[in-house]
């Protein structure tokens, strides 16, 4: 039994892109489909939790600006992901091509990382995450 779907959460850190680079090797070997997942926390969710102690009109403006910045970051991450796929000749497709080669797709959702990751993780064979505290290029023995 092979690895059909690999879920890779990305937060924009070097470590998350390092995890993706390692997943490329596995996906190419097994002909897996890579689901790249970026989870965006809405500013209104943070504000609802009481983190913004501002008047309503200022809070709303801050939420709009924070959501805009989060979407801009997501767009940059998606471009970086697509460039890495292109460099590896991995086609971008929402569905595996069926010819046995690796494929990849970008997914982004608003919500809490726990909820979104668990929902997508149930439909994946493997979830590849970066190792916390490990910087790119270092090896822990």
């Amino acid at each position: 039994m092979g690895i059909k779907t690999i879920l890779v959460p990305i937060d924009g850190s070097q470590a998350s892109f390092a995890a993706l680079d390692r997943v490329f090797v596995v996906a190419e070997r097994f002909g897996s489909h890579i689901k790249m997942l970026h989870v965006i926390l809405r500013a209104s969710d943070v504000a609802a939790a009481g983190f913004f102690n501002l008047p309503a009109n200022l809070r709303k403006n801050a939420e709009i600006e924070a959501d805009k910045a989060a979407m801009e970051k997501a767009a940059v991450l998606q471009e970086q992901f697509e460039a890495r796929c292109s460099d590896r000749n991995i086609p971008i497709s929402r569905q595996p091509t069926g010819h046995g080669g690796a494929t990849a797709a970008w997914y982004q959702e608003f919500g809490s990382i726990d909820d979104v990751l668990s929902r997508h993780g149930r439909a994946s064979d493997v979830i590849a995450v970066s190792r916390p505290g490990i910087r790119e290029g270092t090896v822990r023995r």
Side-chain angles (χ1 to χ4, degrees), residues 87-101:
D87 291 345
R88 305 273 317 209
N89 293 318
I90 295 177
I92 296 175
S93 169
R94 285 285 187 167
Q95 298 295 324
T97 60
H99 64 69

Side-chain angles (χ1 to χ4, degrees), residues 13-16 18-19 22 128-136 138-141:
S13 67
Q14 286 184 357
S16 62
R22 288 171 181 83
V129 296
S130 58
R131 291 174 53 188
I134 302 297
R135 286 177 279 154
E136 183 66 23
T138 62
V139 178
R140 179 185 281 172
R141 296 181 192 261

Side-chain angles (χ1 to χ4, degrees), residues 17-133:
F17 276 110
L20 174 62
D21 289 337
R22 288 171 181 83
V23 165
F24 281 144
V25 174
V26 174
E28 289 169 335
R29 177 177 175 139
F30 291 100
S32 305
H33 181 66
I34 301 167
K35 289 178 65 174
M36 195 71 174
L37 177 64
H38 179 62
V39 180
I40 305 167
L41 180 63
R42 283 193 193 275
S44 58
D45 294 338
V46 174
F51 293 112
F52 284 136
N53 193 12
L54 298 172
N57 62 336
L58 291 177
R59 184 176 63 236
K60 188 65 177 169
N61 288 340
E63 290 171 5
I64 290 168
E65 289 302 314
D67 286 345
K68 181 180 174 185
M71 292 303 293
E72 289 171 358
K73 177 184 176 182
V76 168
L77 293 177
Q78 183 176 3
E79 287 176 12
Q80 292 173 342
F81 164 71
E82 290 174 355
R84 286 176 186 247
C85 288
S86 178
D87 291 345
R88 305 273 317 209
N89 293 318
I90 295 177
I92 296 175
S93 169
R94 285 285 187 167
Q95 298 295 324
T97 60
H99 64 69
T103 57
W106 174 265
Y107 296 83
Q108 67 186 38
E109 286 187 32
F110 283 97
S112 80
I113 186 72
D114 297 338
D115 294 339
V116 176
L117 187 59
S118 65
R119 191 169 5 89
H120 282 269
R122 283 191 284 270
S124 302
D125 296 310
V126 173
I127 302 173
V129 296
S130 58
R131 291 174 53 188

